[in-house]
Amino acid sequence: MTKFVKCKPSDWQVLQRLSTDTFRLAFEAKNEKEDMEQYLKEAFADHQVQQELKHPFSSFYFLFADSQLAGYFKLNTKDAQTEFIDQGMELERIYLLPDFQRRGLGQEIMDFVHQLATEAAVATLWLGVWEENKAAIKFYERNGFVTFSKHAFMLGQDRQIDLLMRKQL
């Protein structure tokens, strides 16, 4: 059984640890250690996570599977979006711990995100995904997302390219 729980500001330490762990597990093998450490130190610093949790146009959700914390996702609207899309909602992060991957939970997250976007009456659901993350790109395409642009993403000192993908609602 799965359950989504909206994160509260008091959840910041659990969110910080989960964010760091899942990002490291997803991307460490394909990146330089120094760049990874710099990114993690900046992106998931105490004050950064606390500030993001308090932003009025950002929402984090934990996913629990069989009462165990399995992953999380982050949604942004209005000025919280990393690229402003009028009438848009950004799925900025979606991560599962390895033990919970390939069990259909990513699809459950995507279905729940779609429901939240529909309830928010946004016109576009969009995200950025590293161009080297072929499995994620295929997953998003299966869910109706199409590439519409690109932007740079700095992982430490390494300039990487994210594909921007959207789904019209």
Side-chain angles (χ1 to χ4, degrees), residues 30-107:
K30 293 186 176 185
N31 288 282
E32 297 294 327
K33 182 178 180 177
E34 297 79 19
D35 290 324
M36 178 64 63
E37 293 306 319
Q38 181 182 348
Y39 177 79
L40 294 173
K41 182 179 177 183
E42 294 169 2
F44 304 121
D46 294 359
H47 71 278
Q48 183 66 32
V49 174
Q50 292 169 0
Q51 192 173 38
E52 288 181 29
L53 270 167
K54 291 177 184 173
H55 196 291
F57 301 120
S58 291
S59 299
F60 289 86
Y61 288 82
F62 289 135
L63 169 65
F64 290 87
D66 300 324
S67 301
Q68 293 182 298
L69 183 58
Y72 80 103
F73 66 90
K74 179 185 182 192
L75 298 174
N76 298 317
T77 58
K78 300 183 181 180
D79 69 353
Q81 297 176 94
T82 58
E83 301 278 338
F84 182 74
I85 307 265
D86 192 32
Q87 295 295 310
M89 177 181 281
E90 177 187 18
L91 174 56
E92 184 181 1
R93 298 181 195 148
I94 176 173
Y95 290 100
L96 289 169
L97 290 165
D99 289 348
F100 296 95
Q101 294 175 1
R102 294 175 185 37
R103 293 176 37 184
L105 297 175
Q107 189 61 54

Side-chain angles (χ1 to χ4, degrees), residues 106-145:
Q107 189 61 54
E108 285 192 44
I109 291 173
M110 190 58 68
D111 293 345
F112 186 65
V113 166
H114 189 273
Q115 175 187 330
L116 292 172
T118 301
E119 289 170 3
V122 296
T124 304
L125 180 60
W126 72 278
L127 54 88
V129 57
W130 186 31
E131 66 183 353
E132 299 296 323
N133 193 346
K134 304 302 184 196
I137 293 167
K138 286 179 184 176
F139 172 74
Y140 298 133
E141 288 173 341
R142 281 193 312 268
N143 277 277
F145 287 82

Side-chain angles (χ1 to χ4, degrees), residues 128-167:
V129 57
W130 186 31
E131 66 183 353
E132 299 296 323
N133 193 346
K134 304 302 184 196
I137 293 167
K138 286 179 184 176
F139 172 74
Y140 298 133
E141 288 173 341
R142 281 193 312 268
N143 277 277
F145 287 82
V146 295
T147 301
F148 70 95
S149 190
K150 299 177 181 181
H151 72 188
F153 175 85
M154 294 302 296
L155 185 84
Q157 300 301 310
D158 185 19
R159 184 178 185 272
Q160 300 181 351
I161 301 298
D162 278 357
L163 301 179
L164 300 182
M165 301 181 78
R166 71 176 162 214
K167 178 178 182 176

